[in-house]
Amino acid sequence: MNPDTLGALPPGGRGVIASLELPSQERAWVDALGLSPGRSVTVLRRGAFRGPLHVRVDSGAELAVDAELASHVRLAAGAP
Amino acid sequence: MSDHCEAPAEAPREGASQTPTLVLVGRPNAGKSSLYNRITGGDARVGNFPGITVDVLEAPLDHEGRALRVVDLPGLYALAANGDDAETDEGVARRFLDNLAHEKTPTVLVQVMDATCPALGLRLTRDLLARGTPLVVIATQSDVLAAQGRSLDVEALRKALGVDVRVVSARDPDAKPTVLSAALAALDGAPPPRARSFDPDALGREVLRDAPRVDDEALAARARTERIDRWALHPTLGPLLFVLLMGGLFSAVFLVADPASNLVDAAVQALINVVGRRLGDGALRSFVVDGVLGGAGTVLIFLPQIVVLTVAMELLDASGYLARGVFLVDRLFRRAGLSGRAFVPLLTGHACAVPAIAATRIIRDPRERLTAVLVVPLMTCSARIPTYALLLSAFFASRGAWFRAMVFVALYVFGIASGFVASAMLRRSRTRGRTLPLLLEMPRYHAPDARVVARAGWRAAGRFVRDVGTTILAASALLWALLNVPMPAAFDHAGDTHTMPPAVARVHHSVAAGLGRALEPVTRIAGFDWRINVGLMGSFGARELMVGTLGVITGLEDVEDDDGALATRLREIRRDDGTRAYSTATGLALMAFFVIACQCMSTVAAVQRETRSWRWAGFTLVWTYAVGFALAVLTYQTARALGL
Ligand SMILES: Nc1nc2c(ncn2[C@@H]2O[C@H](COP(=O)(O)OP(=O)(O)O)[C@@H](O)[C@H]2O)c(=O)[nH]1
Ligand SMILES: [Mg+2]
């Protein structure tokens, strides 16, 4: 798995979204839900058996994010 | 404003379409439905699960002598089409707005925005402004904002957007005049500026005045949610808790529903006694009492179960737990080609498939939704319960209560498992395609509002009586006719019935019995004789008619409040050669058939409504009957080989 993605963050880990590497339709949807570039996200927990991630966005929203989808959310390099 | 309108070249679709219309739009969970209820005094379902408002609700309103129409749309995140088909909540909303524009209905968009996170709502504002329709922005949940010690800079927002902005709380009665006056001013005023460029994130941050003090209450709410989630989403305890909760839910349906059903049954019986006495003893009495009232009783007996399950679902939803359920089961559901979102309709399907099929609209992917529509009918709906109970007491009476309870649980599990198998097969064939990744808001935990929950239960009861009741009444009336009209003598193979009471003899010579006998050569390999065949014909329209039909055939008038008597009777039925007609194998085969077969016209109609295709409706009927029968044969022959 790419080490610079949301999918690679351990529980408690935090990062700033750099880009969404998704087809444009899906990108718009993910963006509209609040996972947009520039936002800082914290992984609260990961579901069992590569289940979804439970993340908190700095807007205050909490989301369940599919693990596969999370691996397409690229984070800015370096610790925030 | 409509008095200088020319008569339209094309008549508008509906008479009301020129009524000035207020359309509530906003993200899921923004608070649209709460506001709609506040304004119209209506009872739109207020939910915590994103995407729960899937139908367009509307209500007429008279405001200071002016006739208006208020519409509550499903939630939308963005208005720019992003590949959704017309069936998703966003598709429904978009199509509705396009229609209004097409019909030139005077429209004002009322964007409902969660005041506590304006940045999210402002994205949608940008899309809405681009339409050029009159617009007002209502930032709601101001009480929550205030509790957090924060405030919204309304002036800055107005200036940046170029439209009116108001801050309200749906819990406050003043919200109604505030929203209406702002909306009407926008409707009558100049159209909003079309092109506004602003960055939703930056503007959102700018207008949200943060608390000078630490907002204890918001922190406490967040801490509470975190504390609950530590248990509810714990890697091992979470799933365990989930299973316990679901188990508890089904037991509750079971335990609470039984005494309540007896009460309803007693009431219907009392009515039957009163009406029956007035009608004398002829065919009219038989039709009204056995056909119509008996059928109505069959419907009403399920009412408590539907209400209990709906209320339980409502509590799960309003508390915020439903989204956690989705989080927990997503991985498992993916094995069957579904996503966690299918959890809600499949759970609802355990009460009744009809509302569950409507609930599949929260699934965004059209092919996944179609799959869910097709497998929902396999869930053990409450209408199967009486037949299961009858068969269990008829054929497993000697095994003890625990054994029967285990078989009962096994039947539930069997229903779910068959749904998963069917889904996995469909997703590899007709509905092949990838399952959209899960992305779902996890709402804070809330204490449910008792009134909202009660209203939901009430509404579910009404819908059940309307949707299912009509089918059952029609099916009961038809069944009555088939059981009472005699078969032409040439085709009647009933044999000697002189020793039977006249009512029972009439049934033996009826058209239904004749048809049942005609089917016997085929159904015998599943252990079904003509009596069971008639029961199955009787329950073709609605499976809950099975018990009553068997009761009539076996010559017992009053079966519903005493399963025991009918169970004994079934066990004792003899063939012409004096051997017992039914064995445990027959009971098991019949159960297998009931798990799979879609003996419910209301469900078939719901599949048609949702897929807009008679082919899928017919497919549901044909495959479930074919597979159900095949499974019955397999069960019967295996059980016989094992000596049961
Ligand atoms: N405290 C408070 N809660 C609100 C208000 N408006 C909505 N809610 C809650 O927010 C949640 C979502 O509301 P709902 O009306 O279903 O939102 P919709 O999805 O936009 O229709 C529910 O739990 C409501 O009880 C409000 O003004 N104040
Ligand atoms: Mg709603």
Side-chain angles (χ1 to χ4, degrees):
Chain A
M1 198 188 298
N2 196 316
D4 291 340
T5 65
L6 177 60
L9 278 186
R14 190 211 276 247
V16 174
I17 299 176
S19 61
L20 305 171
E21 296 177 343
L22 292 163
S24 68
Q25 289 178 1
E26 238 170 85
R27 189 168 58 221
W29 154 248
V30 172
D31 193 329
L33 258 151
L35 277 186
S36 28
R39 288 273 178 212
S40 146
V41 282
T42 311
V43 176
L44 299 179
R45 59 175 55 76
R46 312 181 66 110
F49 311 111
R50 253 182 82 71
L53 278 68
H54 181 186
V55 305
R56 180 182 294 146
V57 188
D58 59 2
S59 63
E62 290 185 16
L63 297 168
V65 187
D66 186 81
E68 150 76 14
L69 180 70
S71 66
H72 293 283
V73 178
R74 183 168 287 281
L75 302 178
Chain B
M1 83 171 281
S2 59
D3 42 357
H4 57 82
C5 279
E6 310 259 330
E10 248 180 298
R13 257 185 329 109
E14 289 155 279
S17 68
Q18 294 308 310
T19 313
T21 301
L22 275 64
V23 185
L24 300 177
V25 290
R27 292 166 59 95
N29 264 333
K32 293 177 300 301
S33 298
S34 305
L35 213 52
Y36 174 85
N37 291 348
R38 167 60 65 201
I39 293 172
T40 64
D43 56 0
R45 189 185 192 291
V46 176
N48 212 344
F49 191 89
I52 212 95
T53 307
V54 287
D55 277 319
V56 177
L57 293 173
E58 59 169 85
L61 190 70
D62 187 83
H63 181 64
E64 293 168 357
R66 194 164 171 190
L68 302 171
R69 181 166 71 136
V70 184
V71 175
D72 182 26
L73 284 190
L76 31 150
Y77 290 100
L79 209 58
N82 52 9
D84 303 316
D85 80 330
E87 302 300 306
T88 57
D89 32 18
E90 283 164 36
V92 169
R94 202 154 43 222
R95 205 176 40 201
F96 188 86
L97 292 180
D98 289 345
N99 248 340
L100 284 180
H102 180 72
E103 289 172 358
K104 303 206 164 31
T105 308
T107 303
V108 53
L109 299 177
V110 178
Q111 189 197 347
V112 180
M113 164 187 302
D114 180 351
T116 62
C117 29
L120 292 177
L122 287 168
R123 273 165 197 286
L124 181 61
T125 314
R126 207 167 44 181
D127 290 359
L128 292 174
L129 278 170
R131 291 185 75 91
T133 315
L135 173 73
V136 283
V137 172
I138 304 294
T140 185
Q141 311 206 23
S142 64
D143 52 330
V144 182
L145 191 71
Q148 294 175 357
R150 298 194 286 179
S151 66
L152 210 59
D153 187 341
V154 177
E155 262 325 307
L157 210 48
R158 277 193 192 125
K159 219 147 85 214
L161 299 177
V163 300
D164 196 5
V165 179
R166 303 291 175 100
V167 183
V168 302
S169 156
R171 311 233 155 138
D172 178 2
D174 281 344
K176 178 176 173 173
T178 307
V179 173
L180 287 180
S181 62
L184 289 178
L187 184 66
D188 300 335
R194 248 184 205 254
R196 280 274 165 170
S197 66
F198 59 87
D199 173 20
D201 272 350
L203 183 59
R205 262 194 295 270
E206 187 195 318
V207 297
L208 196 59
R209 297 264 175 265
D210 258 323
R213 61 186 173 86
V214 183
D215 43 357
D216 294 335
E217 223 169 301
L219 281 182
R222 174 183 279 195
R224 192 170 57 232
T225 292
E226 264 171 22
R227 228 170 16 245
I228 300 174
D229 272 344
R230 251 202 302 278
W231 293 91
L233 298 179
H234 186 275
T236 47
L237 290 178
L240 195 69
L241 200 70
F242 175 80
V243 170
L244 283 179
L245 212 60
M246 293 302 121
L249 200 155
F250 291 133
S251 324
V253 169
F254 214 62
L255 294 176
V256 183
D258 194 40
S261 296
N262 288 342
L263 219 66
V264 170
D265 192 37
V268 172
Q269 280 306 322
L271 185 67
I272 285 180
N273 287 341
V274 172
V275 175
R277 221 173 299 130
R278 302 243 163 122
L279 288 175
D281 225 15
L284 178 66
R285 174 192 183 277
S286 168
F287 176 74
V288 171
V289 169
D290 302 333
V292 177
L293 285 180
T298 318
V299 184
L300 292 176
I301 279 172
F302 291 102
L303 214 49
Q305 299 178 1
I306 300 289
V307 171
V308 169
L309 206 102
T310 309
V311 165
M313 285 284 294
E314 200 67 27
L315 290 175
L316 285 180
D317 175 24
S319 65
Y321 187 78
L322 222 45
R324 272 72 186 179
V326 171
F327 180 88
L328 290 170
V329 302
D330 185 66
R331 200 69 206 149
L332 181 67
F333 275 37
R334 264 165 213 281
R335 305 231 146 191
L338 296 169
S339 72
R341 284 172 174 263
F343 165 61
V344 179
L346 291 188
L347 182 59
T348 315
H350 284 87
C352 179
V354 175
I357 285 173
T360 58
R361 286 188 227 164
I362 67 169
I363 301 171
R364 294 179 58 82
D365 179 69
R367 263 176 296 195
E368 186 193 339
R369 185 173 57 252
L370 174 60
T371 315
V373 166
L374 295 175
V375 303
V376 156
L378 292 167
M379 301 302 110
T380 304
C381 70
S382 45
R384 285 177 172 93
I385 294 175
T387 304
Y388 288 167
L390 171 68
L391 294 174
L392 282 172
S393 53
F395 298 108
F396 296 95
S398 57
R399 303 282 184 135
W402 268 104
F403 182 84
R404 275 177 281 162
M406 293 295 285
V407 176
F408 222 101
V409 173
L411 286 167
Y412 271 97
V413 173
F414 189 24
I416 295 169
S418 61
F420 276 19
V421 170
S423 162
M425 284 166 66
L426 280 166
R427 292 294 262 166
R428 277 171 186 71
S429 51
R430 279 313 304 273
T431 61
R432 193 200 321 265
R434 90 185 191 99
T435 308
L436 284 184
L438 180 75
L439 187 59
L440 184 73
E441 278 184 277
M442 303 272 265
R444 295 264 158 85
Y445 288 104
H446 280 280
D449 180 340
R451 262 173 323 179
V452 171
V453 172
R455 268 205 305 253
W458 174 248
R459 212 172 26 253
R463 193 179 43 217
F464 177 75
V465 169
R466 200 180 53 240
D467 283 5
V468 180
T470 42
T471 314
I472 294 186
L473 275 185
S476 305
L478 183 68
L479 180 63
W480 179 88
L482 287 176
L483 282 169
N484 282 276
V485 175
M487 199 72 178
F491 301 101
D492 187 11
H493 306 294
D496 187 17
T497 53
H498 284 299
T499 54
M500 298 176 183
V504 180
R506 189 166 67 232
V507 169
H508 277 240
H509 291 287
S510 68
V511 171
L515 291 174
R517 283 196 196 87
L519 285 172
E520 243 180 19
V522 179
T523 58
R524 197 177 289 135
I525 50 172
F528 301 167
D529 70 346
W530 70 269
R531 293 180 187 84
I532 292 183
N533 289 346
V534 174
L536 292 180
M537 279 188 265
S539 52
F540 176 77
R543 53 171 70 85
E544 45 272 61
L545 296 177
M546 182 72 180
V547 173
T549 315
L550 282 178
V552 174
I553 301 164
T554 58
L556 264 167
E557 295 303 345
D558 218 343
V559 289
E560 271 131 22
D561 53 1
D562 196 358
D563 276 350
L566 176 58
T568 319
R569 186 101 186 177
L570 273 186
R571 225 175 13 240
E572 295 304 324
I573 288 178
R574 308 271 165 173
R575 291 203 190 91
D576 292 340
D577 60 10
T579 56
R580 285 216 169 119
Y582 308 133
S583 60
T584 306
T586 323
L588 287 172
L590 205 48
M591 284 182 200
F593 184 78
F594 262 73
V595 168
I596 307 288
C598 183
Q599 303 161 282
C600 180
M601 280 308 122
S602 311
T603 302
V604 174
V607 171
Q608 193 277 331
R609 259 202 312 273
E610 214 53 40
T611 60
R612 304 237 179 80
S613 137
W614 284 107
R615 260 191 43 231
W616 284 119
F619 173 76
T620 304
L621 201 60
V622 170
W623 91 259
T624 59
Y625 264 82
V627 173
F629 185 69
L631 210 62
V633 172
L634 188 71
T635 309
Y636 183 69
Q637 299 297 345
T638 311
R640 289 270 304 234
L642 295 174
L644 288 171

